[in-house]
């Protein structure tokens, strides 16, 4: 079963007037992992698609998505699949066995995508201008960056999977950040990157805990409460940061004009309000 939700882009002046329900309707990502279903959100931020596929021991095939305007979803797109569950397989021409934490890049023209086994598959897709080889990237193949400290409660390790330091993609850049024990803040100090949007997914968060995802303009911040396997769509004009009531992991993905991860505009701690 395939279901698709359409999300239009929101400008910062409009977002300033949103209450909690409107913020969640436009920016919150939740309920995308359902047994026996593929659930997608088609965003109008750089045409990014985010979603989930849970074959629950069976098979699910992702092929035509009407919003893309092509016979098959990857005819003019690239895709990254992240397994956040038990072992499973993804087939797109070749069959790839995926353990928890593995990321699979599928290049343009890879054909229909079949999800099988007991994995919980997080799906990210964006338009692609050329064909590139598909590649399975495991955590030991990712580039590693250690940031933060215990003193500021943001000691974390960034694993860059689909990233210029690891492999070539058209515009998708995807990685995973793990908070160390006792640390709760991610992406702090905050930044923005007006040339591309970002999507977050929070995982490994205990069921009785939560994270507060910060968004909005640096001087007009808003927040979303997110639980395990929930996240946020972050517009190019928005900061994207957060703090949890327990340590967690989050998957970040960007699409837009520049794949240079360091191409950001920092926001000073004294600027945020």
């Amino acid at each position: 079963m395939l279901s698709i939700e359409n999300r239009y882009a929101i400008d910062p002046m409009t977002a300033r007037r949103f209450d909690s329900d409107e913020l969640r309707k436009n920016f919150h990502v939740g309920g995308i992992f359902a047994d026996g279903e593929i659930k997608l959100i088609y965003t109008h931020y750089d045409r990014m698609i985010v979603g989930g596929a849970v074959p629950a021991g069976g098979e699910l095939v992702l092929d035509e998505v009407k919003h893309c305007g092509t016979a098959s979803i990857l005819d003019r797109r690239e895709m990254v699949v992240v397994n956040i569950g038990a072992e499973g397989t993804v087939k797109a021409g070749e069959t790839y066995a995926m353990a928890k934490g593995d990321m699979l890049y599928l290049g343009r023209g890879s054909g229909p995508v079949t999800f099988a086994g007991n994995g919980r598959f997080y799906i990210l897709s964006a338009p692609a201008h050329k064909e590139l080889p598909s590649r399975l990237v495991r955590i030991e193949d990712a580039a590693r960056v250690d940031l933060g400290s215990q003193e500021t409660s943001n000691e974390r390790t960034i694993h860059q999977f689909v990233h210029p330091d690891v492999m070539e993609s058209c515009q998708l850049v995807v990685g995973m950040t793990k908070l160390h024990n006792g640390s709760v803040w991610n992406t702090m100090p905050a930044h923005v990157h007006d040339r591309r949007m970002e999507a977050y997914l929070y995982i490994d968060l205990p069921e009785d805990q939560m994270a507060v995802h910060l968004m909005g303009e640096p001087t007009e911040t808003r927040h979303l409460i997110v639980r395990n396997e929930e996240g946020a769509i972050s517009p190019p004009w928005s900061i994207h940061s957060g703090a949890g009531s327990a340590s967690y992991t989050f998957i970040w993905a960007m699409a837009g004009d520049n794949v240079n991860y360091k191409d950001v505009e920092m926001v000073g701690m004294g600027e945020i309000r």
Side-chain angles (χ1 to χ4, degrees):
M1 178 179 174
L2 171 65
S3 61
I4 309 165
E5 179 187 351
N6 198 36
R7 298 273 186 102
Y8 288 101
I10 302 297
D11 68 90
M13 292 298 293
T14 300
R16 289 184 183 188
R17 300 192 293 270
F18 282 174
D19 61 17
S20 292
D21 287 342
E22 290 171 311
L23 284 171
R24 294 181 73 81
K25 180 179 178 181
N26 285 280
F27 303 111
H28 179 255
V29 173
I32 60 173
F33 299 101
D35 286 355
E37 296 186 44
I38 299 174
K39 303 184 77 171
L40 304 178
I41 300 173
Y42 183 96
T43 85
H44 289 255
Y45 299 104
D46 293 297
R47 304 290 168 170
M48 170 82 88
I49 292 175
V50 301
V54 186
E59 283 192 354
L60 293 171
V61 179
L62 179 56
D63 192 6
E64 182 181 9
V65 174
K66 183 179 179 181
H67 292 61
C68 299
T70 54
S72 189
I73 186 172
L74 294 181
D75 285 353
R76 292 202 303 262
R77 283 179 163 267
E78 60 186 353
M79 179 182 291
V80 174
V81 178
V82 188
N83 186 6
I84 63 170
E87 292 186 357
T89 63
V90 176
K91 180 180 179 182
E94 184 178 343
T95 299
Y96 302 87
M98 297 184 66
K100 182 179 180 179
D102 291 347
M103 294 195 188
L104 173 63
Y105 174 83
L106 298 174
R108 191 182 77 174
S110 295
V113 184
T114 301
F115 305 92
N118 294 307
R120 297 172 74 79
F121 299 103
Y122 181 45
I123 299 167
L124 299 151
S125 179
H129 62 277
K130 65 179 180 179
E131 294 181 5
L132 291 169
S134 297
R135 178 178 170 182
L136 178 63
V137 185
R138 304 189 190 278
I139 197 164
E140 58 265 26
D141 304 318
R144 174 173 172 150
V145 180
D146 293 306
L147 290 176
S149 68
Q150 283 188 330
E151 288 74 18
T152 50
S153 302
N154 66 351
E155 188 176 13
R156 61 201 189 274
T157 298
I158 299 172
H159 301 277
Q160 301 165 334
F161 286 75
V162 180
H163 183 277
D165 289 344
V166 179
M167 58 167 289
E168 183 182 4
S169 64
C170 290
Q171 62 167 319
L172 279 174
V173 179
V174 187
M176 180 185 299
T177 298
K178 292 179 177 289
L179 275 291
H180 294 201
N181 287 337
S183 287
V184 296
W185 278 103
N186 73 70
T187 322
M188 183 58 71
H191 61 257
V192 297
H193 31 67
D194 196 52
R195 286 158 290 281
R196 57 193 179 276
M197 61 83 68
E198 189 158 352
Y200 264 41
L201 183 75
Y202 291 83
I203 61 173
D204 299 336
L205 189 63
E207 292 299 327
D208 60 345
Q209 302 297 316
M210 68 178 189
V212 179
H213 179 85
L214 296 180
M215 60 164 296
E217 298 167 278
T219 58
E220 286 284 346
T221 57
R222 302 291 185 270
H223 73 272
L224 298 169
I225 300 298
V226 297
R227 312 288 176 178
N228 190 49
E229 296 186 358
E230 296 182 349
I233 296 165
S234 182
W237 46 264
S238 175
I239 66 167
H240 37 276
S241 180
S245 57
S247 297
Y248 55 91
T249 299
F250 71 95
I251 298 165
W252 45 268
M254 297 183 286
D257 270 339
N258 196 334
V259 298
N260 182 358
Y261 182 77
K262 298 178 182 178
D263 177 27
V264 299
E265 298 167 17
M266 299 303 298
V267 177
M269 297 289 276
E271 298 177 55
I272 295 179
R273 66 180 191 185

